[in-house]
Amino acid sequence: MARLYPFRALRYDPARVNMEDVVTQPYDKITPAMQERYYEASPYNLIRIILGKREPGDTEPQDFLPPGEKAHNVYTRAAEYLHDWRRDHIFAEESEPAIYGYSQTYTVPGTTEVRERRGFIALGHLYDYADKVVYRHEQTFPKHKSDRLALFKATRAYCEQIYMLYSDPAFTAEKLIFQGSFPNGFDDNPPDQAITDEYGVVHKVWKLTDPNLINLLLTAMADKKLIIADGHHRYETSVAYAKERGAQLKLPLNQPLDEDERVTPTHLPVPTYPEAAMMMTFVNMDAPGITILPTHRVVQGIENFSSPDFITKASAFYTIDEIPGPSRATDLIALLTQTPDDSFIAVTIDGDYLLTPNPEAIAPLLQNLPPKQRQLGVAQLHTVALDHLLGLTEDKIRATGNIQYLREADEAISLVESGEANIAFLIKPITLDQLKDVSLSGEVMPQKSTDFYPKLLSGLAIYALD
């Protein structure tokens, strides 16, 4: 069962800071330019904790140092910032446990359509994938996990949320949070926080402390299966550390839950030990407002690459239609959206081409893929175009970094036109149904198969273990 908990969050004191100057995008979406901008925005910007700057003379994390040598690096500085900001009341701890209603209002990129995505922030219990409560949809990489583990061990705090999806066609949580908690109407109730980020997304947060409502919500979520939308590396890092800490405390990670605790109106459940849970935002995939953007593939660094040769080889597996130039991202994407599900566009210096798979021709190449993935256009692209035609196996991609993953089609096109890249593949986003189908079957998609928009804002709440 999915076990969720309220928590006493650390939150920025809006009397001490301008909230829009201190929150950030998730750490793995922060470019060097964004990092610099965040540093300049405020001395209390969360960037100093989640993705600090490296300095000359930095040491390795404490685990890798000789005995007696003290570490001094981005992780120790992050812990110092967190300690100092708590001491100076830049962060204030809530007086009682809460969950937090969270909405994001945004314009879908490339359109004028405005959507609102609603969910809630709470602690979620940590489970092994084998427990079949939490499911992944992407591969993870050891380098990213070791970085997040070092940061977590230094700070012992979750400053960012995992983005979790669940299915509930009855909208039980939404009704409890956005209707039941506000008898006079949710939309007329001012949020605790309202922040507009650099992409124009409006983030609103409501604190909910009524024990009866919280217990009803936790009970409603107990039978849900959870799918990680964003945050695979952080989740797997946290599971590993929870097990490590549980072994030290001689406490199992998933000990049986006392059901009486959940239904007692005056009592709210807590994790078995602090490391057994982490901060998450839960979003109902049956509700409106979820947007998945495509992540285009840009290939570079292939010696003696010839686009005519590639198109000739590809014609054995695809129906190929040359697209009249010149290349304009909006026109190419508009064309792509009108084509069969698994089609994609190859952008080359010699021209642009629409490639539509020939199912019979590609079938032998897909035999080693799990059944669910054979139906995914992005998995077909990796297996046929990247691996078979260009020789870019998954291991080679990891080792050489031949591929860039870009949200913006015009950026991908410009890299090809400038000669910095050999070829770009413009693809369609996967659907929520495909994501759910693959994840719940226990399979994983190729890396960077999804780009959920907008991202969860970091700094809205912090779960401090100490």
Side-chain angles (χ1 to χ4, degrees):
M1 62 186 300
R3 291 154 65 177
L4 277 60
Y5 314 97
F7 67 112
R8 292 173 59 192
L10 289 180
R11 300 176 76 187
Y12 276 107
D13 182 351
R16 303 293 302 277
V17 299
N18 178 3
M19 289 300 300
E20 292 179 354
D21 291 338
V22 295
V23 294
T24 75
Q25 297 296 311
Y27 86 98
D28 55 343
K29 297 298 179 183
I30 298 174
T31 65
M34 291 169 68
Q35 183 190 45
E36 192 64 37
R37 188 170 71 247
Y38 289 143
Y39 260 85
E40 293 174 355
S42 168
Y44 303 115
N45 189 284
L46 193 70
I47 192 69
R48 289 170 172 80
I49 296 176
I50 64 171
L51 193 64
K53 291 181 180 178
R54 298 188 179 276
E55 296 179 0
D58 275 357
T59 62
E60 293 295 324
Q62 189 71 48
D63 290 351
F64 308 118
L65 289 176
E69 185 174 340
K70 187 177 181 180
H72 182 72
N73 50 45
V74 292
Y75 310 116
T76 60
R77 287 191 291 275
E80 290 167 3
Y81 282 122
L82 181 60
H83 173 271
D84 292 348
W85 296 354
R86 293 180 73 173
R87 179 199 62 203
D88 297 338
H89 305 292
I90 302 302
F91 289 134
E93 186 175 55
E94 301 280 25
S95 60
E96 54 188 329
I99 61 171
Y100 302 88
Y102 181 20
S103 78
Q104 297 167 287
T105 303
Y106 63 98
T107 301
V108 178
T111 76
T112 58
E113 181 185 357
V114 176
R115 294 181 181 176
E116 182 185 34
R117 185 172 74 191
R118 291 181 175 181
F120 65 95
I121 303 170
L123 300 187
H125 200 83
L126 293 164
Y127 293 91
D128 272 322
Y129 296 136
D131 294 324
K132 298 188 182 302
V133 176
V134 172
Y135 296 78
R136 61 177 179 163
H137 78 267
E138 285 187 348
Q139 298 279 10
T140 55
F141 304 96
K143 178 181 177 182
H144 300 303
K145 288 191 280 190
S146 63
D147 166 63
R148 291 299 98 180
L149 180 59
L151 178 65
F152 179 67
K153 284 186 172 182
T155 61
R156 288 185 53 78
Y158 289 106
C159 299
E160 302 188 279
Q161 314 140 57
I162 298 296
Y163 179 5
M164 284 289 194
L165 296 169
Y166 67 94
S167 178
D168 180 16
F171 304 104
T172 309
E174 289 90 341
K175 291 174 182 176
L176 286 169
I177 295 172
F178 299 110
Q179 295 177 18
S181 56
F182 302 123
N184 295 326
F186 165 75
D187 292 323
D188 294 329
N189 194 81
D192 296 282
Q193 295 176 344
I195 302 166
T196 302
D197 70 18
E198 61 261 59
Y199 299 106
V201 179
V202 179
H203 304 257
K204 296 180 181 179
V205 178
W206 292 261
K207 181 172 69 173
L208 308 173
T209 57
D210 178 15
N212 292 312
L213 184 146
I214 291 174
N215 277 319
L216 285 170
L217 175 63
L218 303 188
T219 301
M221 291 294 295
D223 65 345
K224 302 295 184 285
K225 295 182 182 298
L226 307 175
I227 299 174
I228 303 173
D230 278 333
H232 291 76
H233 291 92
R234 284 170 284 158
Y235 184 82
E236 293 178 14
T237 295
S238 299
V239 170
Y241 187 65
K243 289 181 179 178
E244 177 185 319
R245 184 61 176 150
Q248 294 171 351
L249 299 171
K250 295 183 171 53
L251 291 171
L253 179 59
N254 292 322
Q255 73 174 22
L257 182 69
D258 181 356
E259 288 298 327
D260 291 338
E261 290 185 352
R262 188 175 294 283
V263 298
T264 304
T266 58
H267 183 79
L268 294 171
V270 296
T272 311
Y273 51 97
E275 296 86 352
M278 70 184 303
M279 187 168 62
M280 304 176 183
T281 289
F282 300 88
V283 175
N284 183 4
M285 68 177 74
D286 296 306
I290 295 177
T291 297
I292 305 177
L293 301 177
T295 303
H296 308 299
R297 274 64 174 151
V298 180
V299 180
Q300 58 196 15
I302 298 181
E303 294 185 9
N304 303 316
F305 175 80
S306 165
S307 53
D309 287 350
F310 171 80
I311 294 301
T312 298
K313 292 177 183 177
S315 64
F317 304 96
Y318 300 94
T319 298
I320 298 177
D321 296 299
E322 186 167 4
I323 303 169
S327 303
R328 292 185 66 249
T330 52
D331 294 337
L332 293 181
I333 295 300
L335 171 65
L336 186 59
T337 58
Q338 301 171 17
T339 61
D341 288 344
D342 299 330
S343 298
F344 60 90
I345 289 175
V347 177
T348 78
I349 197 68
D350 298 304
D352 306 324
Y353 304 86
L354 175 68
L355 281 68
T356 303
N358 180 331
E360 293 182 359
I362 67 172
L365 299 179
L366 304 179
Q367 287 181 349
N368 292 330
L369 283 181
K372 302 290 185 184
Q373 289 201 50
R374 296 175 198 171
Q375 310 304 315
L376 295 178
V378 65
Q380 295 176 14
L381 172 69
H382 274 254
T383 301
V384 181
L386 297 181
D387 188 340
H388 185 73
L389 296 178
L390 294 176
L392 296 176
T393 63
E394 185 174 308
D395 289 341
K396 187 172 183 179
I397 291 171
R398 292 184 185 181
T400 63
N402 284 97
I403 295 183
Q404 288 189 62
Y405 302 89
L406 300 176
R407 174 188 294 173
E408 303 298 336
D410 53 0
E411 184 179 358
I413 292 169
S414 67
L415 288 172
V416 174
E417 292 177 339
S418 68
E420 297 176 61
N422 304 116
I423 188 170
F425 297 107
L426 308 184
I427 66 174
K428 300 177 183 179
I430 68 161
T431 67
L432 273 174
D433 285 341
Q434 289 174 322
L435 173 73
K436 182 178 178 180
D437 200 26
V438 170
S439 298
L440 295 183
S441 70
E443 298 178 14
V444 293
M445 302 176 183
Q447 59 180 302
K448 305 295 184 182
S449 292
T450 59
D451 182 5
F452 285 89
Y453 185 87
K455 299 303 178 187
L456 305 177
L457 209 54
S458 299
L460 298 177
I462 292 173
Y463 171 43
L465 276 65
D466 301 318

